Amino acid sequence: EDKVVQSPLSLVVHEGDTVTLNCSYEVTNFRSLLWYKQEKKAPTFLFMLTSSGIEKKSGRLSSILDKKELFSILNITATQTGDSAIYLCAVALYAGNMLTFGGGTRLMVKP
Amino acid sequence: DSGVTQTPKHLITATGQRVTLRCSPRSGDLSVYWYQQSLDQGLQFLIQYYNGEERAKGNILERFSAQQFPDLHSELNLSSLELGDSALYFCASSVVGATNEKLFFGSGTQLSVL
């Protein structure tokens, strides 16, 4: 059975801290890994990773994929209160475009 | 705003009842996906439609059904509701539903079964 596991389950930090969120997966026919941010309701797309070792960056957020060890990390530097959200990792398989999601990491950034 | 519209935002109903959730995808998107998010299960894929045809099925119960209409909007029908069906139901859309397309999610329908 395909499995995506995120850690930690939740995290509380102060503004300015750097955080690292983890996502490991065990799936057949892996195609890509995606990160989403879920604030109030709708998950919003952050990154899609398909190749190992290539870092994707968007402002203070960055992510990298290791296809050999089957994991990805999402880094957020200089955290702000607006980064408070649930961060979801999902895997897309070779066939089709439906996503298998991990349970999410709930991040709270305190002022 | 993702461009995916879901109605209603909240729904409160009783066990045994039937409800219909509605989704309008982004303009131009042909593929619609339904997901269920509950506290203990995370986001679970239910079903995907492409241009009116069912394309993929996930962990969708037999009591649940969906369809996509010629105008591309989709409805998810949940019947014989149980307490455990209480969850946030998301619709997402993408252009054609091909591998590696980004999914754009609506704001969800919060279903409470009492």
Side-chain angles (χ1 to χ4, degrees), chain A residues 77-91:
Chain A
T77 58
T79 51
Q80 302 171 357
T81 54
D83 296 325
S84 297
I86 297 172
Y87 289 84
L88 297 165
C89 168
V91 168

Side-chain angles (χ1 to χ4, degrees), chain B residues 19-111:
Chain B
V19 296
T20 297
L21 313 183
R22 184 189 165 101
C23 168
S24 294
R26 291 187 323 155
S27 176
D29 284 1
L30 300 176
S31 198
V32 168
Y33 311 75
W34 286 98
Y35 282 84
Q36 178 193 58
Q37 187 176 39
S38 55
L39 286 173
D40 56 344
Q41 294 274 3
L43 260 168
Q44 299 281 314
F45 168 70
L46 295 178
I47 197 163
Q48 177 194 3
Y49 277 82
Y50 169 70
N51 205 20
E53 300 288 327
E54 181 185 304
R55 176 169 271 195
K57 225 169 184 175
N59 300 319
I60 188 165
L61 299 172
E62 283 193 19
R63 301 183 285 107
F64 296 1
S65 64
Q67 52 185 326
Q68 186 180 26
F69 295 87
D71 67 352
L72 301 177
H73 91 271
S74 177
E75 292 181 356
L76 179 67
N77 300 296
L78 315 176
S79 61
S80 303
L81 284 167
E82 301 174 1
L83 295 177
D85 298 327
S86 296
L88 192 49
Y89 290 84
F90 284 107
C91 168
S93 73
S94 66
V95 177
V96 292
T99 304
N100 280 357
E101 283 189 327
K102 282 183 267 187
L103 267 62
F104 294 87
F105 284 82
S107 296
T109 293
Q110 180 71 58
L111 173 66

Side-chain angles (χ1 to χ4, degrees), chain A residues 10-36:
Chain A
S10 68
L11 200 48
V12 180
V13 300
H14 286 95
E15 273 193 314
D17 289 349
T18 293
V19 297
T20 298
L21 310 183
N22 304 294
C23 175
S24 63
Y25 60 91
E26 283 179 41
V27 301
T28 52
N29 297 315
F30 171 90
R31 176 72 186 203
S32 60
L33 186 142
L34 296 88
W35 285 96
Y36 280 84

Side-chain angles (χ1 to χ4, degrees), chain A:
Chain A
E1 186 185 332
D2 297 328
K3 199 163 59 172
V4 180
V5 178
Q6 291 186 246
S7 64
L9 286 178
S10 68
L11 200 48
V12 180
V13 300
H14 286 95
E15 273 193 314
D17 289 349
T18 293
V19 297
T20 298
L21 310 183
N22 304 294
C23 175
S24 63
Y25 60 91
E26 283 179 41
V27 301
T28 52
N29 297 315
F30 171 90
R31 176 72 186 203
S32 60
L33 186 142
L34 296 88
W35 285 96
Y36 280 84
K37 178 182 181 182
Q38 185 176 19
E39 291 179 86
K40 292 180 181 172
K41 286 287 180 74
T44 53
F45 173 81
L46 293 174
F47 297 111
M48 180 188 290
L49 302 150
T50 54
S51 302
S52 238
I54 297 175
E55 186 182 53
K56 292 243 176 154
K57 264 182 99 69
S58 176
R60 297 174 294 102
L61 277 66
S62 64
S63 184
I64 197 159
L65 174 67
D66 185 328
K67 288 169 78 172
K68 186 179 172 192
E69 300 297 330
L70 309 183
F71 78 90
S72 172
I73 59 171
L74 175 68
N75 279 317
I76 309 175
T77 58
T79 51
Q80 302 171 357
T81 54
D83 296 325
S84 297
I86 297 172
Y87 289 84
L88 297 165
C89 168
V91 168
L93 305 182
Y94 235 97
N97 202 42
M98 73 292 297
L99 302 175
T100 300
F101 280 87
T105 293
R106 184 180 292 272
L107 173 65
M108 181 184 292
V109 181
K110 292 188 168 182

